[in-house]
Amino acid sequence: MRILGVDPGKATGITVWDSETQEILYFEIDEWDPYTLVRAVERISQKCFIDHHVYEDFLPRWGQKFDITPIKLIGAMDTMRFDWHKVKPSEHKSLVKDVVLNKLIHDQGHLVGEGHSRDALRLTVYYSAAKLREQATLKLIKGGSHGE
């Protein structure tokens, strides 16, 4: 299955993960406004033949200072024709650890970055393991190597 993940923020990460081949097909971070993000997701979805779309669902807490950018981007994505699967940060960050992602990113020739690009990949790996129950991805997050 090919899963597109979006971690919205001032700098938004987009990743495409192929759970069958265990390959990162797309890995980018950029500062998109709602219009350009929607156009990018549409283009990537067509080019990569996406089966599932997932994004990090952000809810601000009252009294907490926050940037409204993620809320605007989520609103724009919700207008798209895709059936978006929404994942809370606590869900994907507790299951898929940085050490697994860093190795995966490095082994496939991408730069290991902080924040939203890595979290977009974390979303796709989480969705593959927790929701689709893909055995290869479950093995990967438990410490096995990818591609076995």
Side-chain angles (χ1 to χ4, degrees):
M1 295 281 167
R2 290 186 174 185
I3 307 160
L4 181 141
V6 179
D7 186 23
K10 184 172 164 89
T12 296
I14 299 179
T15 299
V16 174
W17 167 252
D18 188 319
S19 62
E20 293 168 4
T21 64
Q22 303 242 311
E23 289 181 85
I24 301 168
L25 302 178
Y26 190 88
F27 190 72
E28 183 176 3
I29 188 167
D30 206 341
E31 292 186 13
W32 281 297
D33 61 66
Y35 176 77
T36 54
L37 175 63
V38 165
R39 302 263 316 186
V41 168
E42 287 174 346
R43 179 180 46 82
I44 297 163
S45 295
Q46 287 180 339
K47 181 180 177 186
C48 294
F49 303 102
I50 300 301
D51 298 300
H52 300 277
H53 293 78
V54 59
Y55 68 70
E56 183 178 271
D57 196 14
F58 170 81
L59 290 174
R61 295 185 186 105
W62 288 107
Q64 178 186 27
K65 201 173 188 181
F66 66 92
D67 178 13
I68 196 165
T69 303
I71 295 170
K72 290 179 181 178
L73 297 174
I74 288 169
M77 288 186 292
D78 282 345
T79 67
M80 299 178 76
R81 60 182 169 82
F82 305 119
D83 181 21
W84 286 97
H85 304 277
K86 302 168 187 178
V87 178
K88 302 272 185 249
S90 60
E91 292 176 281
H92 68 93
K93 290 182 179 183
S94 64
L95 184 64
V96 183
K97 302 301 180 191
D98 284 348
V99 66
V100 172
L101 295 174
N102 291 347
K103 181 173 178 9
L104 187 62
I105 292 165
H106 180 267
D107 288 354
Q108 294 194 27
H110 300 281
L111 293 176
V112 177
E114 295 294 323
H116 296 285
S117 59
R118 185 172 55 199
D119 281 344
L121 177 61
R122 186 187 324 268
L123 283 162
T124 62
V125 171
Y126 166 84
Y127 189 80
S128 173
K131 302 300 181 185
L132 300 178
R133 307 298 295 164
E134 300 263 2
Q135 292 304 307
T137 307
L138 287 165
K139 181 178 178 182
L140 174 72
I141 63 174
K142 291 180 180 178
S145 63
H146 64 277
E148 289 183 352

